[in-house]
Amino acid sequence: MPVQAQPDVRSSGSMDRTRDDNSMEFGHNAAAASAATAKPWGNKESPNNEDDSNGDDDVDTTTPAKVTDPLAPRLGSHEVSAARILISSAETANYQCLSLLYFQRVLVVSVTERHRETWGQKAEFLLAVIGFAVDLGNVWRFPYICYQNGGGAFLVPYCIFLIFGGLPLFYMELALGQFHRCGCISIWKRICPALKGVGYAICLIDIYMGMYYNTIIGWAVYYLFASFTSKLPWTSCDNAWNTQNCMPVTSENFTELATSPAKEFFERRVLESYKSNGLDFMGPVKPTLALCVFGVFVLVYFSLWKGVRSAGKVVWVTALAPYVVLIILLVRGVSLPGADEGIKYYLTPEWHKLKNSKVWIDAASQIFFSLGPGFGTLLALSSYNKFNNNCYRDALITSSINCLTSFLAGFVIFSVLGYMANVQKTSIDKVGLEGPGLVFIVYPEAIATMSGSVFWSIIFFLMLITLGLDSTFGGLEAMITALCDEYPRAIGRRRELFVLLLLAFIFLCALPTMTYGGVVLVNFLNVYGPGLAILFVVFVEAAGVFWFYGVDRFSADVEQMLGAKPGIFWRICWTYISPVFLL
């Protein structure tokens, strides 16, 4: 700021200085004053990061008074000229030095922001997205909802909501993550800072999901180890955990009051739920089950601790193995007696059910939770893509594979349900169960009646484990990427340690689900937990991107990456249809 010269107050000792010392002192003071007024940046860009916001309060905007320094009259003309040259040189040098520091700072920040890992291969990204989207719900939820809501007729609302609702949101998240190259928290600084809380909400939902989803994978791990025997333990009723009501499903005396060996194995051996009283008294943690879930967390840690470098290698196994197993099980299933009746039951359309609004609601919820927008995973995975990657083509490929996988899983499940109905001499609707009961009771029952049951059991539960691991990889990676991007110094530089502490925290939070009454808590969390919360979060996300950030601006971002603007269909869906789809 301008400095007004003040009378020189000195002690008697300092009055004996030479004229050259006085000239130099005057020159340095004037240079400092000139440099202060010549700063090329505002207060916020000060290179020493000091807060200069209150400095303007002391600025004197009046014309400086005449210099009254008693030494001034004693300066000769040659000394005044030297002082002026010195002032000019100091001002120029100071300006250039500070300017250099400023541009160095900008350069460092720019380089830091652009440095980001990328996928080793394009296939790794596609497999990671497919693995996240194709989860346990594709196996145990879609087939049940399909035959419950009209069989083949259900595919009509399912495809409609895929085209106009799910796919545009899926495409949106892939494009957002790839363009802005950051997680679900930091991205809002560039879109709508007021909605930054949406990113933290997504992280909380991901933690919530990890608390019970990994426990379900732990059940599959328990079944896998139990399958390594000469005879599957749920084949007969001769075990210590069986009750008097136990009866093989192949028995002619099997009634509705009887329980199958597979059901008792799940409820009385795996879970031991009879030792609890529901949520009122869940009992202690079951050690063997906790050990299985701990093994799942160990696998998750070593898959995520290095980021895309480690996850990109793991998905080659976890994403491809389920398809190999599904095809093997399909070939085996369609060869069983009664399989044709099950497939017919699965596909036969009941068009009158389309008049029921529940069918359309189920179709919308199924396509939404199957594709998985809103969990932050698509943002995180696509943020590691190269800037010019064709995310439009990726969205079409991965979403189509996801839906076709659900359809394929229906053939696998219903061919076996038809076989079980044939064995039990009953109708298919009395055999099937929704949710975990389908894959942990009904399907193991069918496997136990097949020749080579041990082999079929091992590959089936390996498929469930890989399906679950891919999804939990995606959910946790979304949160890890978001927090590492938001806090690069505190968390990003210590990713391995942060992932370890995060998984340890989630494991401790999940311990209640590993108690004897944990299955009740798992069902409670699954039914009443993430559904409405994630729908609300995605609606706010869509509104922030399409209405506040703007479809035109978003389309321009896509054009920078792909070289062409999205078509009129996508812009209409983003502006009107997709947000309404979430309501």
Side-chain angles (χ1 to χ4, degrees):
M1 64 185 69
V3 179
Q4 182 175 353
Q6 300 296 329
D8 192 15
V9 180
R10 308 180 180 185
S11 63
S12 58
S14 61
M15 293 292 294
D16 297 331
R17 295 181 179 176
T18 63
R19 291 183 179 180
D20 292 338
D21 294 335
N22 293 331
S23 300
M24 291 297 293
E25 180 181 353
F26 179 81
H28 283 302
N29 289 338
S34 300
T37 58
K39 288 190 301 181
W41 46 71
N43 294 330
K44 294 183 180 180
E45 296 176 353
S46 173
N48 56 6
N49 292 328
E50 292 178 355
D51 186 5
D52 300 327
S53 58
N54 295 327
D56 293 340
D57 297 339
D58 300 326
V59 175
D60 187 359
T61 58
T62 61
T63 304
K66 185 178 180 179
V67 176
T68 57
D69 193 324
L71 295 180
R74 291 187 288 178
L75 294 175
S77 58
H78 66 284
E79 293 169 327
V80 173
S81 300
R84 288 175 178 173
I85 294 173
L86 181 61
I87 292 171
S88 177
S89 300
E91 178 180 347
T92 302
N94 198 18
Y95 178 88
Q96 292 176 346
C97 181
L98 294 177
S99 299
L100 179 60
L101 290 173
Y102 173 73
F103 288 114
Q104 285 178 339
R105 179 188 176 198
V106 172
L107 180 61
V108 169
V109 171
S110 177
V111 171
T112 302
E113 289 182 350
R114 291 182 181 180
H115 175 71
R116 190 175 185 83
E117 286 184 297
T118 57
W119 295 98
Q121 302 179 42
K122 174 67 174 290
E124 293 178 357
F125 166 70
L126 294 176
L127 290 175
V129 174
I130 293 170
F132 164 72
V134 178
D135 63 351
L136 295 173
N138 294 71
V139 176
W140 75 37
R141 179 173 169 79
F142 176 82
Y144 175 82
I145 289 182
C146 187
Y147 94 81
Q148 188 185 47
N149 291 292
F154 177 76
L155 298 178
V156 174
Y158 182 80
C159 292
I160 290 176
F161 283 118
L162 167 65
I163 295 171
F164 293 99
L167 185 55
L169 292 172
F170 192 86
Y171 178 23
M172 172 203 74
E173 286 212 349
L174 291 184
L176 274 179
Q178 182 172 306
F179 182 82
H180 295 286
R181 301 179 68 79
C182 57
C184 60
I185 298 177
S186 303
I187 196 172
W188 291 105
K189 296 178 182 177
R190 309 173 185 183
I191 296 177
C192 182
L195 298 179
K196 189 176 179 180
V198 171
Y200 288 102
I202 291 174
C203 291
L204 289 176
I205 292 174
D206 289 333
I207 292 177
Y208 181 94
M209 293 286 293
M211 288 170 53
Y212 72 90
Y213 194 81
N214 291 311
T215 301
I216 298 176
I217 304 174
W219 297 347
V221 173
Y222 192 102
Y223 268 88
L224 177 64
F225 282 105
S227 300
F228 286 96
T229 59
S230 58
K231 182 181 179 182
L232 295 178
W234 57 86
T235 303
S236 65
C237 298
D238 301 329
N239 304 289
W241 58 83
N242 292 128
T243 65
Q244 295 180 352
N245 295 326
C246 180
M247 184 178 296
V249 293
T250 55
S251 174
E252 297 180 356
N253 299 324
F254 190 85
T255 63
E256 294 182 357
L257 298 178
T259 56
S260 66
K263 184 176 181 181
E264 291 200 350
F265 178 80
F266 179 60
E267 295 177 351
R268 300 180 63 84
R269 180 60 177 174
V270 179
L271 305 176
E272 298 188 43
S273 55
Y274 66 93
K275 295 182 179 180
S276 71
N277 190 23
L279 295 177
D280 295 332
F281 175 73
M282 294 192 295
V285 173
K286 183 178 179 182
T288 53
L289 189 57
L291 185 61
C292 290
V293 178
F294 178 76
V296 172
F297 275 89
V298 171
L299 288 174
V300 172
Y301 174 74
F302 285 107
S303 300
L304 297 179
W305 70 322
K306 293 293 186 182
V308 295
R309 286 179 294 171
S310 55
K313 306 299 182 291
V314 175
V315 293
W316 284 97
V317 177
T318 57
L320 293 178
Y323 289 95
V324 175
V325 177
L326 276 175
I327 294 174
I328 294 174
L329 292 176
L330 176 62
V331 173
R332 175 56 177 160
V334 296
S335 64
L336 295 171
D340 57 334
E341 292 297 324
I343 295 174
K344 186 184 301 183
Y345 191 88
Y346 170 51
L347 295 178
T348 301
E350 299 180 51
W351 300 108
H352 65 279
K353 288 190 175 182
L354 294 180
K355 299 177 182 179
N356 189 349
S357 60
K358 180 180 179 299
V359 175
W360 294 83
I361 294 174
D362 286 347
S365 62
Q366 174 61 27
I367 195 65
F368 174 79
F369 286 104
S370 179
L371 292 177
F375 289 95
T377 304
L378 302 176
L379 281 172
L381 297 179
S382 62
S383 70
Y384 298 106
N385 276 335
K386 296 179 180 178
F387 184 77
N388 298 113
N389 174 65
N390 194 337
C391 56
Y392 171 66
R393 182 177 58 195
D394 294 345
L396 295 179
I397 293 174
T398 52
S399 59
S400 300
I401 291 176
N402 171 68
C403 296
L404 290 174
T405 303
S406 299
F407 193 58
L408 173 65
F411 285 93
V412 175
I413 296 298
F414 273 90
S415 61
V416 172
L417 290 180
Y419 164 69
M420 289 303 296
N422 180 70
V423 170
Q424 298 179 22
K425 303 295 190 287
T426 185
S427 59
I428 296 176
D429 59 333
K430 294 182 180 179
V431 174
L433 292 173
E434 181 190 11
L438 180 62
V439 295
F440 290 111
I441 297 177
V442 176
Y443 212 93
E445 279 179 355
I447 289 175
T449 63
M450 301 178 189
S451 58
S453 57
V454 172
F455 169 76
W456 300 115
S457 179
I458 291 173
I459 66 170
F460 176 73
F461 288 110
L462 273 176
M463 179 191 71
L464 293 185
I465 292 170
T466 53
L467 283 174
L469 284 176
D470 270 338
S471 296
T472 199
F473 289 164
L476 294 174
E477 181 59 45
M479 177 174 45
I480 294 168
T481 297
L483 294 174
C484 287
D485 288 344
E486 182 66 12
Y487 307 101
R489 294 185 178 180
I491 297 177
R493 295 178 180 178
R494 305 172 180 87
R495 179 185 172 102
E496 293 87 350
L497 178 61
F498 171 68
V499 174
L500 178 63
L501 296 176
L502 175 66
L503 293 180
F505 171 73
I506 297 177
F507 179 77
L508 292 176
C509 292
L511 283 177
T513 64
M514 305 171 213
T515 59
Y516 294 119
V519 63
V520 181
L521 181 60
V522 168
N523 291 332
F524 180 84
L525 295 175
N526 186 38
V527 173
Y528 299 102
L532 291 177
I534 195 65
L535 284 174
F536 176 75
V537 165
V538 179
F539 174 76
V540 175
E541 177 186 353
V545 174
F546 300 146
W547 296 343
F548 292 98
Y549 187 71
V551 171
D552 291 338
R553 190 183 302 178
F554 176 68
S555 299
D557 294 343
V558 175
E559 185 178 13
Q560 287 188 46
M561 295 187 295
L562 307 184
K565 261 190 175 183
I568 186 66
F569 167 78
W570 299 106
R571 297 201 297 272
I572 291 176
C573 287
W574 287 332
T575 307
Y576 305 107
I577 301 176
S578 295
V580 175
F581 162 74
L582 297 169
L583 298 176

